[in-house]
Amino acid sequence: MKQAFLKFGKDDSLRRYHPWIFSGAIHHFSEQPEEGEVVEVYAAKQKEDRKGFDFEYIASGHFQIGSIMVRVLTFEHEDINQEFYEHRLASALQMRKAVGLVGKEDSTSYRLVHGEGDNLPGLVIDVYKQTAVMQAHSVGMHVDRFVIAKALKNVMGDDLENIFYKSETTLPFKAELGQENGFLLGGSTDDIATENGLKFHVDWLRGQKTGFFVDQRENRSLLQKYSQGRKVLNMFCYTGGFSFYAMRGGAQLVHSVDSSQKAIDLTNANVELNFPDDARHTAYAEDAFKFLDRMEKGAYDLIILDPPAFAKHKDALRNALKGYSRLNQKAFEKIAKGGILFTFSCSQVVTKDNFRTAVFTAAAQAHRKVRILHQLHQPADHPINIYHPEGEYLKGLVLYVE
Ligand code: SAH
């Protein structure tokens, strides 16, 4: 196995089990690794006589060209093979069972693997009934996809019939791997899953991410509780998740908005699946900012803002915060008196404090009295590795607007 030798003193974060090794920390390789190859990482220790260094094993992980050069898979000296993935996947499944997300009739969707949160950096697996949608965010996970698929089938047994690999948009450009989507097991497109008793189609072949946003499950349930008799605007609706919960909660009307016509078609199909011919729902394919500009003041008293990540990288943070402020200000200006706003950010680089500040600024600029009712976050099947705080990405505020 090829070896990476760290510069002296560059092992601190690894001693705290942080799973990323940046390019600047690496002194040299025993031999240049291929992208996606597993490398063993060695830390430099000064010799007692202070003349030169000894090297000691510290971790193994996937090598990749880029600023994060090694994504650590293990801190123990072990092989990365099918057995390794079986252990990691079994541990992920065990955790989902412990929090009651597995084997339910009325909720058949959950995230089985959440990258670093499950000690598998670069890998995401969402389960929809008997289908797993697997996504590689690193070249290493792409290279290992067939081994992972075998391990997954062994761990899940008869509960799993299909594995769809969907890395069309998630693999790094430098990898030059092109796009790859396809079944690694099975081939069924029976695409109806459930979440808290509500049904939805999952378009794992063509949909965004793995086809549905399972991370909003609990926040949607909370929204349902506040929907009775309200006029609801679900902005950035994608597949309409929040909309059908609002309808079940007894909303007076629900309007879903997304700039993508495909998302609107999906929303309509999902609403139809749960509430056929229900006249309370209308969906609009329109830009959020345009819709907010033209809508009447007081038209809605429950608004959801769940935009796509405004910042994917640290350099984009300032502009992203401005974006969140601008968007929320428009909602504050228009929401009815006594209205409730569910507002989210799913940008990993935007911290909870950053987001709060952006929303507070928006409230002040709109001159509204605002109280925080809830602070929301990602659910238990999107766990945060305690040594990798960057894994906390979903933030939400539920606000009462006087
Ligand atoms: N709330 C959704 C997830 C939203 S994902 C859920 O619960 O599943 C973000 C969505 O915003 C995507 O569907 C994308 O098409 C849409 N979008 C992106 N830019 C937009 C814009 N300027 N106006 C309206 N929708 C937009």
Side-chain angles (χ1 to χ4, degrees), residues 208 213 220 236-238 242 258-260 286-288 306-308:
Q208 298 180 39
F213 286 83
R220 292 182 186 126
F236 308 98
C237 65
Y238 184 35
F242 283 101
D258 199 288
S259 56
S260 144
E286 196 173 336
D287 174 73
D306 185 21

Side-chain angles (χ1 to χ4, degrees), residues 208-209 212-216 220 234-242 257-260 263 286-290 304-310 344 346:
Q208 298 180 39
K209 301 278 168 76
F212 191 72
F213 286 83
V214 285
D215 57 357
Q216 289 287 23
R220 292 182 186 126
N234 181 10
M235 186 56 81
F236 308 98
C237 65
Y238 184 35
T239 55
F242 283 101
V257 180
D258 199 288
S259 56
S260 144
E286 196 173 336
D287 174 73
F289 288 90
K290 284 194 183 135
I304 302 114
L305 298 176
D306 185 21
F310 282 173
F344 296 96
C346 62

Side-chain angles (χ1 to χ4, degrees), residues 6-181:
L6 298 182
K7 290 177 187 161
F8 177 65
K10 290 289 186 184
D11 54 346
D12 286 0
S13 69
L14 287 167
R15 305 266 175 220
R16 292 192 302 270
Y17 302 112
H18 193 284
W20 292 346
I21 302 174
F22 290 94
S23 54
I26 297 174
H27 186 270
H28 69 282
F29 290 98
S30 59
E31 198 184 324
Q32 182 63 29
E34 296 276 326
E35 276 212 288
E37 201 175 325
V38 174
V39 293
E40 286 181 346
V41 183
Y42 288 80
K45 265 183 81 177
Q46 216 160 30
K47 286 189 170 154
E48 269 184 27
D49 60 8
R50 300 195 165 231
K51 287 182 190 149
F53 298 105
D54 287 325
F55 288 95
E56 68 176 3
Y57 173 87
I58 187 163
S60 301
H62 281 142
F63 167 78
Q64 185 165 321
I65 296 166
S67 107
I68 303 172
M69 210 159 234
V70 180
R71 288 167 172 78
V72 173
L73 298 163
T74 183
F75 292 95
E76 284 155 40
H77 214 150
E78 62 184 322
D79 290 334
I80 308 301
N81 50 23
Q82 187 174 326
E83 196 187 343
F84 165 83
Y85 284 113
E86 279 177 22
H87 282 143
R88 283 284 198 273
L89 293 170
S91 152
L93 182 63
Q94 193 53 43
M95 197 225 90
R96 274 64 182 180
K97 284 184 176 163
V99 297
L101 285 167
V102 180
K104 288 170 91 177
E105 267 296 295
D106 68 340
S107 263
T108 56
S109 46
Y110 61 90
R111 176 157 292 193
L112 175 66
V113 174
H114 184 58
E116 285 82 356
D118 287 296
N119 300 306
L120 288 169
L123 184 68
V124 163
I125 301 176
D126 285 343
V127 174
Y128 301 107
K129 225 161 62 174
Q130 60 292 75
T131 299
V133 182
M134 188 171 126
Q135 205 164 53
H137 291 254
S138 69
V139 183
M141 290 301 182
H142 174 74
V143 169
D144 288 353
R145 65 199 179 284
F146 301 112
V147 180
I148 298 170
K150 274 193 206 144
L152 182 60
K153 176 62 185 160
N154 283 349
V155 167
M156 301 282 283
D158 291 341
D159 293 337
L160 188 69
E161 285 174 16
N162 307 294
I163 300 175
F164 188 72
Y165 181 64
K166 189 171 190 292
S167 293
E168 193 176 54
T169 55
T170 53
L171 282 170
F173 173 67
K174 283 215 180 84
E176 286 173 2
L177 297 162
Q179 307 182 334
E180 184 172 325
N181 281 2

Side-chain angles (χ1 to χ4, degrees), residues 21 24-25 37 41 54 59 79 91 99 136 173 193 205 248-249 262 297 314 331 333 335 347 350 393:
I21 302 174
E37 201 175 325
V41 183
D54 287 325
D79 290 334
S91 152
V99 297
F173 173 67
L205 301 179
R248 185 164 70 177
K262 247 196 87 230
K297 229 178 183 167
K314 276 216 166 91
E333 280 165 2
I335 194 166
S347 311
V350 173
Y393 73 101

Side-chain angles (χ1 to χ4, degrees), residues 223 226-236 243 246 251-258 279-305 330-342 368 399-402:
L223 177 98
Y226 292 132
S227 299
Q228 181 65 45
R230 289 201 179 253
K231 295 186 211 140
V232 181
L233 172 64
N234 181 10
M235 186 56 81
F236 308 98
S243 301
Q252 202 184 114
L253 69 84
V254 179
H255 289 171
S256 306
V257 180
D258 199 288
R280 291 178 297 160
H281 181 258
T282 316
Y284 302 88
E286 196 173 336
D287 174 73
F289 288 90
K290 284 194 183 135
F291 189 95
L292 289 167
D293 279 339
R294 76 170 172 86
M295 84 191 207
E296 259 173 56
K297 229 178 183 167
Y300 303 100
D301 57 2
L302 179 50
I303 297 179
I304 302 114
L305 298 176
K330 287 187 192 293
F332 282 128
E333 280 165 2
K334 297 285 178 79
I335 194 166
K337 275 189 175 135
I340 294 175
L341 176 65
F342 277 64
R368 299 295 294 258
L399 306 167
Y400 181 82
V401 188
E402 208 168 301

